[in-house]
Each structure stands twice: as C-alpha cells, then as structure tokens.
Amino acid sequence: MNQQSPRLPDSPMIDLQGVTKEFLKPSGEVHTVLRNINLRVAKGEFCSIVGPTGCGKSTTLSLIAGFEAPSLGKVQIKGEKLEGINSRASCVFQTENAFPWKTVIDNVSLGLRLNGTSKNDAFQEARRWIEKVGLKGFEGHYPHQLSGGMRKRVALAQCLITQPEILLMDESFSALDVHTRHLMENELLKIWEETSASVFFITHDLEEAIALSDRVIVLTAGPAATIKGDYRINLERPRNVAEIRFDKQFAELHEQIWNDLRDEVMVSYASANNA
Amino acid sequence: MNQQSPRLPDSPMIDLQGVTKEFLKPSGEVHTVLRNINLRVAKGEFCSIVGPTGCGKSTTLSLIAGFEAPSLGKVQIKGEKLEGINSRASCVFQTENAFPWKTVIDNVSLGLRLNGTSKNDAFQEARRWIEKVGLKGFEGHYPHQLSGGMRKRVALAQCLITQPEILLMDESFSALDVHTRHLMENELLKIWEETSASVFFITHDLEEAIALSDRVIVLTAGPAATIKGDYRINLERPRNVAEIRFDKQFAELHEQIWNDLRDEVMVSYASANNA
Amino acid sequence: MQVQTTLNTQEEIETRKKEMRIRASKIKIRNLSLQIIVFIAIFGSWEFFSDKNIIDPFFFSSPSSIVKQIVEWVIEGTSQGPLYVHFVVSFEETVIAFVIGVILGVIAGYALGMNDLLAVIFGPYIQMLNALPRVVLAPIFIIWFGLGMPSKVALGVTLTFFIVFFNAFQGVREVDKNLLNNARLLGANKRQLAQHVIIPSALTWILSSLHSSFGFALVGAVVGEFIGSTKGLGFLIAQAQGAFNTTGVFAGMVLLSVTALAANWAVSKLETRFIAWRHVRQ
Amino acid sequence: MQVQTTLNTQEEIETRKKEMRIRASKIKIRNLSLQIIVFIAIFGSWEFFSDKNIIDPFFFSSPSSIVKQIVEWVIEGTSQGPLYVHFVVSFEETVIAFVIGVILGVIAGYALGMNDLLAVIFGPYIQMLNALPRVVLAPIFIIWFGLGMPSKVALGVTLTFFIVFFNAFQGVREVDKNLLNNARLLGANKRQLAQHVIIPSALTWILSSLHSSFGFALVGAVVGEFIGSTKGLGFLIAQAQGAFNTTGVFAGMVLLSVTALAANWAVSKLETRFIAWRHVRQ
Amino acid sequence: GNADKTASQSDSKGDDKPAATETVKLPKVNIMVGGLEKIIYLPAKLTENLGYFKEEGLEVELTSQASGVNAEQALIAGEVQGVVGFYDHTIDMQAKGKELQAVALFATNPGARLMVTNKAKDQFKTLADLKGKNIGITSPGASSHFLVNYLVSKGGNSTKDYVPLAVGAGPTLIAAMEQGKVDIAWATQPTIALLEQKGIATSFVDLETKEGSQQTLGGTYAAPSLYMNSDYVKKNPEVVQRLANAFVKTLRYMSTHKAEEIADKLPKEFYAGDKELYIKSLESSLSMFTADGKMPDGGPEKVLEILQVFKPELKDTKIDLNKTFTNEFVDKVKK
Ligand SMILES: Nc1ncnc2c1ncn2[C@@H]1O[C@H](COP(=O)(O)OP(=O)(O)OP(=O)(O)O)[C@@H](O)[C@H]1O
Ligand SMILES: Nc1ncnc2c1ncn2[C@@H]1O[C@H](COP(=O)(O)OP(=O)(O)OP(=O)(O)O)[C@@H](O)[C@H]1O
Ligand SMILES: O=C([O-])O
Ligand SMILES: [Mg+2]
Ligand SMILES: [Mg+2]
C-alpha cells in the first residue's frame, strides 16, 4: 500500500529525483542497488527509512551526503543540484566515525573548531555534549580505549554539536542498550525540536522508526530497491520514546507498516529460509 | 538478588577465577574495568551476559579468548590455565572480523582451509554456510562491497563453520533487522544443539538473552564491574525465538532480570540523566 | 533460490558499460594530452635554451643530440659491443639485486616486525648499516664479491634492502590486532598467519616501497659498474663522463630512466593484481 | 555527577604502578643484556679473526684499531682541524638535506596523492629521476650549487626526497574514505582536511620513511663530500681511502653510524609523540 | 730542514710588503686536487704545509675530490680556478671546445707501473704478451686506460685484443690480484710498494722512474700538473705567477730533500699508519718529479700520440698543443 505523502512546499530540503545507483560487480556485471527513487524530505521533517538488510539504506544516505553520485537521476538540496559533499549535512555513520588520533574531546569539538570557534569555547561546548551523551570522565581517552557503545556516543556528540540543517543517521542507536538508547532518542528529539533540522534516520528497528519520525519510508528488498511505502506518523509531539510504544495509535501504525516491511524481508530471505 | 547457579561438574569449559582487569588511563592512572569476576560456563552451556554499555562485556570476552591477560586472577579453559590465544574458541567480534582482502567465500572457508581441508571441500561447505546466512550470490564480493548487516552475516558464517567448542559472540545480531535476526538466532540455536558448544553471548537486548540462553549474567555498571546476578533460564528447548517472547515464564524472567539490569543502567547514566 | 543481484536486461548492461568505457577513455585522452604538453614543455625548453646557448650544451647537452646519441648506439653499437648487451647486463644486475633485496627486506621486516626482541637487538645495526655510504663500500664489495656481477648485485641489494625493510617492518606492525586475533582463533599457525593476514595486510606497504626501491637497485648496479666493470649502462656512462661527453652521460641516464619507468609500470600491475580488493572500492 | 572512572585507592594504584614499573625494567634489563651479548659476539669475533689474521686486517681492520683511530682523532684532531669540525659540517649538511627532502617529499606526496591529474602527469618524472645515479649527477650539482655546502645538501635531498615522497603519496592514498567524508561534512576546507585528517593518518607512513631517509641524507652528504670538499666525515673517509687506510675508513663509518643511530632515536621519539594514540593501544 | 724553513720565512717577509702595496688584495684561489693524499699530487699539500702559498701572499683552498673526473667540470663551471690533475685533460678539453692550460708540470711520467702477479710472472715477457689478457685499470676513460691501450698497441696488438677490467686502486686492486681475478694491472704508489711488500706482484712495465718511462714510451709523458682556464690565466697573470712561484719552490724542495723529510711535512693521515712503507714508496717516486715545473720539449706531442691511440676522434680535430700549456710563468720564477 502506497500512501503518498502530501506535496511539500517548494524546494524541499532533500529531493531525490528518479535516482538509480549502480555498482560494478567484481565479475564486471552491473549491480543495481537502488532504482528510480523519488523522495522529498521537507525542512524540519524527521524521516525514517526501514528495509531489509542490504537493501540500500546506507547507499541512499551516501547519495544525500554527496559521498557518491547517483548513476541516474539527481539529488537536490534546498532546490540546488548537489555536487560533491553536502555542506548542510552532518552524519553519524553506520561504521565508526571518530578520528582515532583524536581524544574524545578533540573529536567532539572538531566541528566547531573547523568553523573557527576558539579552542576554549569549542571545548566548553564539547564538554557539555560529552556530558549529555554520558561520557564525562572520558574526555582524554582515545576512541580505541572506549567500548563500542561509547564510540557510538562520541559519534553522536560530534555530529550534533554542529547543529546541522540536515542530520543523517545510520543505525546510530543499535549498539546501545535499551535504556541508553531511550535516553539518546529523547535527547535527539529534544535537539531536533530546538533546531528544526531535517533528519534522515536509518534503522532496522521499526518501533524506533515510528516512535521518532514524522514519516517512515519502507524500501523494497534489493537488488534494485525502490520505495514501497511512505507513511505519515501523526503521533503527538513532544513524545517520550519509552512510553509512546504503548500508545494505541502506535500499535496500529506498527502493524500497518510491519505488513509492508515483512513481505520485503521475506523476499530478501527466501534463500535463507529455503536453506 | 543473586541467584547462585548450582555447582557445575569438575573442569567447566570456561572458568574465570577472581579475575580483575585494569587498563592504564592516558593520564597514567589505573582504570579498573572488571573486578573479582568469578564465572563458570559448563560444556554445552549457552550463557548470555548483559550490562550497561561500557561496563566491560567485550573485555570479559577478550579475556576468555585469550587476547588479553587478566591483571589479577586466572582464566581456565577445560581445567587448564589459559596462556595466549584460546584455541578452542571462535569469535564473532563486535567490530568487523572479515578480512578485507578476501572475498566472501574465502573469508567463510578460511577456518577450514587453515585446518588443512582441501580447497574444494572447504568451498563446498562454505557455500552451504553462505546460503544459510542468506548471502548466496555474493560469494565473489569483497567485504567493503557489502552492507553492514551483510558483513555481520559473513562474520557469523566464518565463525560457525569451524564448529568450535567455545563460541564467543559480541553483539552479533544487533546490526540486523528483526526478521533476519530471528532467522539467524534460530539457526544459531540449531547449530548449538547439534554441536553442544559452550556459548558466551554478549548482547544489550535482554529479550534476546533470555530467548537464547541457559543462563543470563548481569554485570554491574562500570568502572570495576562485577557480577550482579546470575539467572538460570529453564525454558523448554527447542525454542523458537520469535514465539518464545510471548511465553508467560519468559515475561516473568524478563521482569526479574530487568529489575536488576535497570538499576545498573540507571547508575551508569546518572550523569547523562542529570545533564 | 539464488539471490539475483541484478535486474538489468542484457541491453541495459551493455549501454551502461559502453557509457563507462567512453567516460574512461575520455579521461585517458585528457591525461595523455596533458602528459604530452608537459613533456613538450620540458624537453622543448631544454632544447631551446641549449640551442640558444642560454644553458651551456657542454654541461647540459640537448634532447636532440641525446636522441642522436642513442640512435647511434642502437644502430652502430658502442665501442664495447652492441647497446643491448650493456642494457641486458645492467638490467640483469638490477633485477637480481632487486629480487634479493626485496626478499631479504621482507623477511627481515617481517621477523623484526613480529618479534620485539629481534627488533630491539638487530634494529640498531640495520639503522647503522643504512647510514653507510654505498659508494665507499663499493671497493669492499669488489674485494668480497669480485669484479663480476655479484659485486654490483650486492651494491644494489644494500640500497634496496633498507627501503623495503623499513616499510615491511612498519607494515607488519600496522596489521589490525583484531584480524590477527581472529585468524589465530580460526586456527592459523605462524606460517598461515603470515600468509593469510600479515603479508596481505602489509602488502600495501611493501608494494609502495617497491616503487622507490627498484630505482635504487638500478642506482646500485650503475654505481657498481661505475667503479669497476667492462659492460653495462653504468660503464657507458662512466666512459662518456671520462671523455667529457655530456651527451653520452645523458643518453645513458635516459636509458636508465626508461628502464625505471618500465619497472614501475610492472610494479603498478602487481599492485592492481595483489591488492585488487582495494581497487574495487573506488 | 562525574562518572568516577576508577575505584582504586591511592595505595592500590601505587602498588600496581610499581609492579608495572618493575616488569618494564625487567624487560629493559633483559633487552640490554641481549644487546650487549650480541654486540660482544659481533665485534669480539671481528677482533679475534683480525687478530689471528684469519681475515686480513689490511682490508678489514679491527675494532680495537678503529677505536684507537677515533680516540686519536678526538684527542689530537685531524690534519684539517679538530674532529668535531668535520662532524659538525657533515651533520649540518645532513640535517638541512633531511629537512628539505622531507618537506619537499611530504608536499609532493600530498599533492600527487590528493590529485590524480598531478599524479598522472608528474609521477613518471619522479620515477625517472629516482633511477638516476646521484654520483653521476654530482658535477651538475656542483655547477648549480657550487662546491660549498649547497651541493652536498642537494645530493642529500635527492636521496631523501624520493623515499619520503613515495611513502607520503601512499599514506595519503590510504586515508580512510569514511573519515575524509566525515571531516568534509563537519565543514573542513582543504587545509583543515590536511591538518586534521590526511596528515595525522599518513603520519605513520611518513614517519616510517624517516627511519630510512635520514640514513640516506647522511649518505648524500658524505658522497657530496667525496666529490669535492675540504671538511666533513666524507672528506675524512675519502682521505683515508685514498691513503689505503682501512682503519680510517671504518672509523669514519663508525662515526656515521653513530650519527644515524642518534637520529633514529630522535625519529622514534617523534613517533611516540605524534602517534601517541597508537602506542596507548598496546 | 729547520734552517731552511726559517730562511724562507724571513724571505717571504721581504717579498710580501711590496706585493701588498703593488696590487690590491689578490682573489682567493680554489684548487681542486684529484686526491690530496695521492703521491703523484703531493706537491699540492706540500706547498700548503711548507707555507709557500702564504709566502706568495695567496689565499689558496685545496679541495680534495676522490672520484676522478669531476674536477674539469668544476673548473669549467668556474667553481674552482685550478685543478691538480693529469695534463692530458687539457688536450681532451680542447677537442671539446674548452680551453685549459697547464701552468706548471709536476712530473714527466705517469708515476705508475704495470704490475704482474708472481704466479703469472712467467707469462709476460714482452708487451706483445698482453694480447688476450684481462688488464686491470683504475676506471674506464681514466689515464690508466689510455696508457694501457698505448702499451697494448705498442706490443703490436689492437686495443680490442685485451679486456680492460676496472679494478680501482689500493685495496680493491690488491684483493683482485690476491684472489687471482686479474694477473696484470696498472698500479700507483703506495699500492706498488704494498704489492711488493706482500709478495703478491712485481713490476712488469715501469712508468714510474725517469729511465723506465723513457725506455718504454720513448720519451716523457707529461702527467700531474696544475692547469687552469686559459681565460683565467690571461686575466690573472699575477695570481698565476705566484702560484707558479709557490709550486716551483716546492718542486725544488722535493729535489733537494730526502723522502723522510718530505714525509714529515705531510699530514699523518697520508701514511695510513705505516710511515715506513710510505717513505719507501715516496723514495721510489721522487725521481719522476721535475725540479722546475717546466713542460719538456716534445712532451705534449707524446701525450697526444698516446691519446690518439685511444681516441681516434682526436686525429680528426686539429689540436693546437701550444695552447694547452705554457712555460711562461715557471720560466719567470726567480732562481
Ligand atoms: N562498493 C560497492 N560495490 C558493490 N556493491 C556494493 C558496494 N557498496 C554497497 N554495495 C551493495 O549495495 C547493497 C546495499 O548496501 P547498503 O549498505 O546500502 O545496505 P543497507 O540497506 O544499509 O544494509 P544494512 O542494513 O545491512 O546496513 C548491498 O547489496 C551491497 O552489496
Ligand atoms: N585499551 C583500553 N585502554 C583503556 N580503557 C579501555 C581499553 N579498552 C577498554 N577500555 C575501557 O573498558 C571499559 C569497558 O569496555 P568494553 O568494551 O568491555 O565495554 P562493553 O561492555 O563491551 O560495552 P559495549 O556494550 O558498549 O560494547 C570501557 O570503559 C572502556 O573505556
Ligand atoms: O648512493 C648513491 O650513490 O646513490
Ligand atoms: Mg547500512
Ligand atoms: Mg563491547
């Protein structure tokens, strides 16, 4: 079931038009990851994307961030064609994004330092963020001296401190325990509400997607994934992510989207099932 | 509440005796991660460990695997003091463990090849495992051509193909979507039942821990984490991980353990909460 | 059921491949024309300045006379036999020196990189030997290895070895601890660890050192020939220098450079082959 | 509330620290004694064989006479002034050559590593130049730079540059794409990208090349002194060689080696300082 | 020697004053020596140590240069004003269009011998026996190479009839002979003395003593000399005159003093720890040095003749030998 999202005002923050992305396989064949993706995210919109593993979520993110160019179609940011790196975005990567040669505080303050903030101010602000993500006392540690979850939190602080217009998040919370995750999710929502950034949020956890977002996009199973569903989440804000899961409307939405998603996941794992 | 596990028969598979682990902090101070850990895992036992992020779960695993030596106390494997690498174990790391210069099939077949299996046999077996984890068609890809979830599945196949006596798993399923995760979890249980390996399973998902394990260990919040609780899960086997969550006994156990865990997570995030 | 990894028709694949090929050849043409322009700029101005006597042709010769000299060597041969003989001699010495130097460098780098004790004990000697001027050692090599090929090879080895050693050493040290641990758990013994983990991982380092070390092997062979020989490009250059024939010196150098370029091309091929997994990424 | 990252009492920390210190010093003592044993084995057998005339002292000298020669130089000076003057001259040339070579190598490596076009156009020339024997080029250096220090420095630079260049080039290419992307997103301009990401990441590569390149800078300076000079360790060695004074040649070499060891020690300190984040890991 | 020294010093005081008033300060002179420590070039260092440059009011810097052929380049490039090296280079350079001029000749023969190992002694009776042999030379294109070519052709063979083997000088040569890699080779002092002392080889052709070279070459072979850019000589006659004065004084000193006395004036590094051997080699070499620095009649012609054997192209070029040397300055040296 495709629920078309209403037309957004002119020049949406993110606009993917007929985007196709291909890679060359080792064998020389062309492997199509995404096909004909049309997606608009408005300013201040919180948009989640879900889909089976390997369907192309991270690839979509890298197109929006400008790390890679689409094979066909185009990516527009605020009405302008994106060429090279997207200067309005910040990103929490699925893999590590802390710089191993910088301590926690240097990592977190980097965005500010690059914009010319004085070291003092940047460090003060960074300390605030380090505390927010629960790493107080680890300012002087290097990333490899932290646990997996702690590194993820460094990445979060590093990304959020710059208060970007576009926030790209790739499975940012999947390495955290439930409690920490809820804390971080609530923190994220608070920040988002304050800054009205457009958020493009990748997760494999549908509950998380619904709890946080204005919209949930479902991708079909790859290869050549495309958009299967586009759901508007009209739950009241501000939300408490830990509690909203018990909301009735939440359960309905969850069921509705899950039906969609499950089919794709099934397609994707037909082979694994058969084995 | 500490529920002591019954005395195990002599020479348990894994035996941590009064283990303490310290690191030198950048400032030169000594940072105690684990303190006085006493833990025995019997042959064929499935033991999960949960605790707040950064409490020391991965550190415990690296002690059992023999990557690091304890600062105090000792680690015994099958009654013998562990020196150097634990040759009975295989491990799925929290970070990547696929070799970037090997294709999927070379990665998966590596364990067999190292034991002297012929290339043909190893590849045949590897193909079976690749199919099992749902990566058929990607045999010739290099790890960086795979998505995060797909790489995790390569790691799983690489580790399981050798059918080790001890299986160490660090958040092996957290990068996967629910469905794939359930498939993999069921697969793991099936293999485990066939081989009667001892499993040491790290997760931040308490439901997953209960659904899979014979025992769930709760660590206290760090620094100087120690064992807070040790719960026996007497749910019937074989289990279906997707369905067992709706079992009444499951819910009880969950509540019981969660009470324990929550306190620790709270302690751990006192600072983040206050911010 | 096999997961189908592409949904494209054969036709679409063909079109796309063609597009990619066209793009690749466009870049090639651009690069080639820029290379030619730079080449002309360098050698053209050399010829021009030399022709106008702005730079003294006695010291700097000129591209045209260098080419003439090479052509003469090729057609008429040199006083000590045809050109290719000299070329073959130098090339043989260089390749042998290169191979030995690389093998020794990799082995030593591997051993010292893996074993801290060895590194602590023998590291300083390697450092010390590296500081010795090879030109001064040349007579010693002649004493040890005689006047023939072995002394030139030894000289080449002493230059090649160190560069490869230091890179192999560091490459081995840089291997990801996690991957090492994983291979050990999977049952790798020492040899297998080297084969499956350490060498592949250090390969970028080692291959990078090959780029400079082949040039140094060549320098070693030539310097050896300089000091005592009857054949080889070094002999030709020394003879030309002895006769104050700058053109001959430069002609010899050009032949050396071409050899180096060819070797570098071969190393690049090796690189593409052995670290294919890196190249696919791009 | 600040997360307390240690629960140990001051006392416990002290005990533990002491333990660690003791362990560290035990390893040091073991290493030192092994180093001494190997040293004695090498130089003792040299002395022995030379003493018993099993190896010809005319060709190989002996450690004791080398030491005597050095002591004599130190106490009585050489015919061209006190020893330290020669040492200072060579050291100065070497350090200047090293610094210039490293700076040029890093800049060129960075530029060509970052820019494919530059790499395609100028890469071959660098390869070609690397294959030229520096000894042959010496006259050209004398023409360009004169007989004084600059020509020796130039010679040192031509050896240092290439090693640093190839490593810096590869180091830049090896930078993690993810980290580059992340820094770009965080707003890094070109200069900042170099400062915060590329240089720190390539530093292991660059520092590794310094280990061998200092030795080569020293070789360059010494070879330059060979070609024409009035001072320097190269002059001393050349003079000794001309007078068939093997002991003097070896004594000069020993001084060179010691210089190289000192420089290597300094590079290691730099390494510990600049890539502290790697060392903490161990 | 002591009395002599003080005498010459008081002498110089008298000379210096008028010089200082006549000309403004003389330019510094850089002289490159193809191995300061080599016996054939020892007048250079000896002049400095005897203080004769100072006596002439000259500031001279002697640069040593070990690898042979780079001195001319430095001279032509103007980096040095003079070279102490073999005279034959001036002829060679004229063919290349560069005018160099020898202003003082140190010796009238090359100061070398063709040495044959004791094992192979019997195979060599006459120069004709050089046919088909490996003959050690210092390096290709060096003077040793020319002269061996000449000797081979004098024996009635072509230069293609033997294999020149570059074996250097000193230890490498000794090792090569000891290891039997080469049976016959070109050697200079003190290698000659060493080879004899070690019982490895004996002299086959003598180009060291006056009589020997006269006999073999049928004349002199003008070899170690001070040569300069002709241009420079024209523009700085004063400097060149004083250099000639200094060097001739040294040559006179050498002809009137014993080897031990000369050795005492040289840096201890030159003896390589074996002063006796050094003195012995010096003794056997002393006779080759001139006492007046003059180019003998027929000297340049002989050199050209020998060069032409090796370099046929010199036959095609017209060489004006008179431009390659001048006795003008040494002739003017006060008796
Ligand atoms: N460089 C590449 N070359 C070839 N194929 C690639 C490359 N990068 C990604 N792919 C393919 O693209 C597909 C989508 O990858 P992507 O990382 O976008 O998935 P994902 O949806 O983020 O999955 P996950 O949830 O596991 O992170 C995968 O099938 C992968 O094999
Ligand atoms: N090399 C090291 N040096 C200093 N401290 C370290 C080092 N390695 C780990 N630590 C510290 O040990 C603690 C425990 O880390 P560990 O990785 O075991 O946590 P974890 O329980 O696995 O957490 P997560 O769930 O986030 O993976 C962390 O506080 C970390 O900072
Ligand atoms: O050492 C070199 O002479 O290049
Ligand atoms: Mg992904
Ligand atoms: Mg962990």
Side-chain angles (χ1 to χ4, degrees), chain C residues 142-190:
Chain C
I142 290 179
I143 294 169
W144 283 348
F145 300 108
L147 282 167
M149 185 169 286
S151 59
K152 280 93 195 169
V153 169
L155 209 56
V157 168
T158 60
L159 287 165
T160 313
F161 170 81
F162 294 101
I163 301 166
V164 177
F165 166 80
F166 287 108
N167 263 27
F169 178 80
Q170 195 63 36
V172 166
R173 295 246 151 160
E174 290 295 309
V175 175
D176 188 325
K177 283 261 150 63
N178 254 342
L179 294 181
L180 268 184
N181 280 334
N182 190 22
R184 284 211 191 94
L185 279 184
L186 289 172
N189 57 32
K190 276 202 165 178

Side-chain angles (χ1 to χ4, degrees), chain A residues 53-59 94 170-171 202, chain B residues 146-149 151 175:
Chain A
T53 12
C55 68
K57 304 182 291 294
S58 299
T59 304
Q94 187 168 15
D170 199 345
E171 312 241 349
I202 297 177
Chain B
L146 302 176
S147 80
R151 283 201 290 271

Side-chain angles (χ1 to χ4, degrees), chain B:
Chain B
M1 186 193 87
N2 277 24
Q3 202 175 314
Q4 228 22 67
S5 64
R7 275 260 152 335
L8 297 163
D10 283 20
S11 297
M13 187 57 93
I14 303 168
D15 192 356
L16 303 186
Q17 301 177 359
V19 162
T20 293
K21 179 68 191 174
E22 293 163 346
F23 288 107
L24 221 55
K25 295 218 314 179
S27 58
E29 276 171 64
V30 173
H31 173 77
T32 308
V33 175
L34 299 171
R35 165 173 291 194
N36 196 26
I37 300 276
N38 290 293
L39 174 65
R40 294 167 162 221
V41 181
K43 181 164 160 35
E45 196 174 21
F46 198 122
C47 177
S48 286
I49 186 159
V50 294
T53 12
C55 69
K57 304 182 291 294
S58 299
T59 304
T60 312
L61 179 141
S62 71
L63 293 174
I64 298 173
F67 303 151
E68 305 199 48
S71 307
L72 284 179
K74 66 176 171 183
V75 179
Q76 287 196 322
I77 301 298
K78 263 193 161 172
E80 284 167 30
K81 181 148 188 271
L82 180 64
E83 306 270 9
I85 289 289
N86 184 342
S87 61
R88 299 175 193 280
S90 253
C91 178
V92 180
F93 292 77
Q94 186 169 14
T95 51
E96 315 272 305
N97 58 342
F99 299 91
W101 47 85
K102 287 181 183 287
T103 57
V104 168
I105 194 157
D106 282 332
N107 260 298
V108 173
S109 63
L110 182 63
L112 295 180
R113 303 279 289 128
L114 292 177
N115 299 341
T117 314
S118 79
K119 186 164 172 170
N120 255 345
D121 294 354
F123 269 34
Q124 201 175 330
E125 182 69 6
R127 260 188 222 100
R128 220 169 56 79
W129 279 94
I130 289 170
E131 209 172 314
K132 254 188 200 174
V133 297
L135 286 178
K136 193 160 176 175
F138 290 91
E139 288 88 350
H141 283 60
Y142 287 99
H144 64 262
Q145 296 175 304
L146 302 176
S147 80
M150 289 156 101
R151 283 201 290 271
K152 210 82 221 188
R153 285 182 271 154
V154 172
L156 255 165
Q158 186 184 58
C159 171
L160 292 174
I161 198 171
T162 60
Q163 311 220 343
E165 284 181 81
I166 300 173
L167 198 51
L168 305 171
M169 304 184 73
D170 199 346
E171 312 240 349
S172 309
F173 300 135
S174 71
L176 305 177
D177 61 82
V178 193
H179 189 78
T180 315
R181 173 190 285 222
H182 286 174
L183 279 171
M184 296 283 131
E185 284 169 351
N186 281 331
E187 196 62 47
L188 174 65
L189 284 185
K190 226 167 75 193
I191 294 156
W192 170 70
E193 270 153 26
E194 284 164 14
T195 63
S196 74
S198 303
V199 182
F200 186 82
F201 189 88
I202 298 178
T203 179
H204 58 249
D205 180 346
L206 184 53
E207 289 193 15
E208 184 178 53
I210 299 171
L212 294 172
S213 319
D214 294 325
R215 254 167 90 196
V216 174
I217 312 281
V218 180
L219 282 190
T220 64
T226 188
I227 294 178
K228 179 166 193 192
D230 186 342
Y231 299 87
R232 192 142 284 280
I233 312 297
N234 287 316
L235 299 174
E236 217 168 274
R237 295 212 188 249
R239 304 178 190 163
N240 179 319
V241 289
E243 288 156 18
I244 201 163
R245 282 156 218 248
F246 307 109
D247 190 293
K248 207 183 118 245
Q249 213 187 335
F250 182 99
E252 278 168 20
L253 275 163
H254 188 276
E255 198 186 326
Q256 200 183 15
I257 305 175
W258 175 238
N259 279 336
D260 237 16
L261 183 56
R262 190 183 42 211
D263 295 348
E264 292 310 316
V265 171
M266 289 305 204
V267 168
S268 166
Y269 287 92
S271 71
N273 267 336
N274 291 352

Side-chain angles (χ1 to χ4, degrees), chain A:
Chain A
M1 184 195 88
N2 277 24
Q3 201 174 313
Q4 228 22 67
S5 65
R7 273 255 147 350
L8 297 163
D10 282 21
S11 298
M13 189 56 95
I14 303 168
D15 192 355
L16 304 187
Q17 301 177 0
V19 163
T20 292
K21 180 68 191 172
E22 294 163 345
F23 288 107
L24 220 57
K25 294 218 315 179
S27 58
E29 276 171 66
V30 173
H31 173 75
T32 308
V33 176
L34 299 172
R35 165 174 291 195
N36 195 26
I37 301 275
N38 290 293
L39 174 66
R40 294 166 161 221
V41 181
K43 181 165 159 39
E45 196 173 21
F46 197 121
C47 176
S48 286
I49 186 160
V50 295
T53 12
C55 68
K57 304 182 291 294
S58 299
T59 304
T60 312
L61 180 141
S62 71
L63 293 174
I64 298 174
F67 303 151
E68 306 199 46
S71 307
L72 283 180
K74 67 178 171 181
V75 179
Q76 286 196 322
I77 301 298
K78 262 195 163 172
E80 285 166 31
K81 181 148 189 268
L82 180 63
E83 305 269 9
I85 289 288
N86 184 342
S87 61
R88 300 174 193 278
S90 252
C91 177
V92 180
F93 292 77
Q94 187 168 15
T95 51
E96 315 272 306
N97 58 341
F99 298 92
W101 46 85
K102 287 182 182 287
T103 57
V104 168
I105 193 157
D106 282 331
N107 260 298
V108 173
S109 62
L110 182 63
L112 296 179
R113 305 277 290 126
L114 292 176
N115 299 340
T117 314
S118 78
K119 185 164 176 171
N120 257 345
D121 294 354
F123 269 35
Q124 201 174 329
E125 183 68 8
R127 259 187 224 100
R128 219 169 56 80
W129 279 95
I130 289 169
E131 210 172 313
K132 254 188 201 175
V133 297
L135 287 178
K136 195 160 177 173
F138 290 92
E139 288 87 352
H141 284 60
Y142 287 100
H144 64 263
Q145 296 175 304
L146 301 177
S147 79
M150 289 156 100
R151 282 201 291 272
K152 209 81 222 188
R153 285 182 271 152
V154 172
L156 255 166
Q158 186 184 59
C159 172
L160 292 175
I161 198 171
T162 60
Q163 311 220 344
E165 284 180 81
I166 299 173
L167 199 51
L168 305 170
M169 304 184 73
D170 199 345
E171 312 241 349
S172 308
F173 299 135
S174 71
L176 304 177
D177 61 81
V178 192
H179 189 78
T180 315
R181 172 191 285 223
H182 285 174
L183 281 171
M184 296 285 132
E185 285 169 351
N186 280 331
E187 196 63 46
L188 174 65
L189 284 185
K190 227 168 71 194
I191 293 155
W192 169 68
E193 269 154 26
E194 283 164 14
T195 62
S196 76
S198 303
V199 181
F200 185 82
F201 191 89
I202 297 177
T203 178
H204 59 250
D205 180 345
L206 184 53
E207 289 193 16
E208 184 177 55
I210 299 172
L212 294 173
S213 319
D214 294 325
R215 254 166 91 195
V216 173
I217 312 281
V218 180
L219 282 190
T220 64
T226 187
I227 294 178
K228 179 167 193 189
D230 186 341
Y231 300 87
R232 192 141 283 280
I233 311 297
N234 288 316
L235 299 174
E236 219 168 273
R237 297 214 186 246
R239 306 177 189 164
N240 179 319
V241 290
E243 288 156 19
I244 201 164
R245 281 156 220 249
F246 308 111
D247 190 293
K248 206 183 118 245
Q249 212 186 335
F250 181 98
E252 278 167 20
L253 275 164
H254 187 275
E255 201 188 322
Q256 197 182 18
I257 304 175
W258 175 237
N259 280 335
D260 238 14
L261 183 56
R262 191 185 40 210
D263 294 348
E264 291 311 316
V265 171
M266 291 304 206
V267 169
S268 167
Y269 287 94
S271 72
N273 267 336
N274 291 353

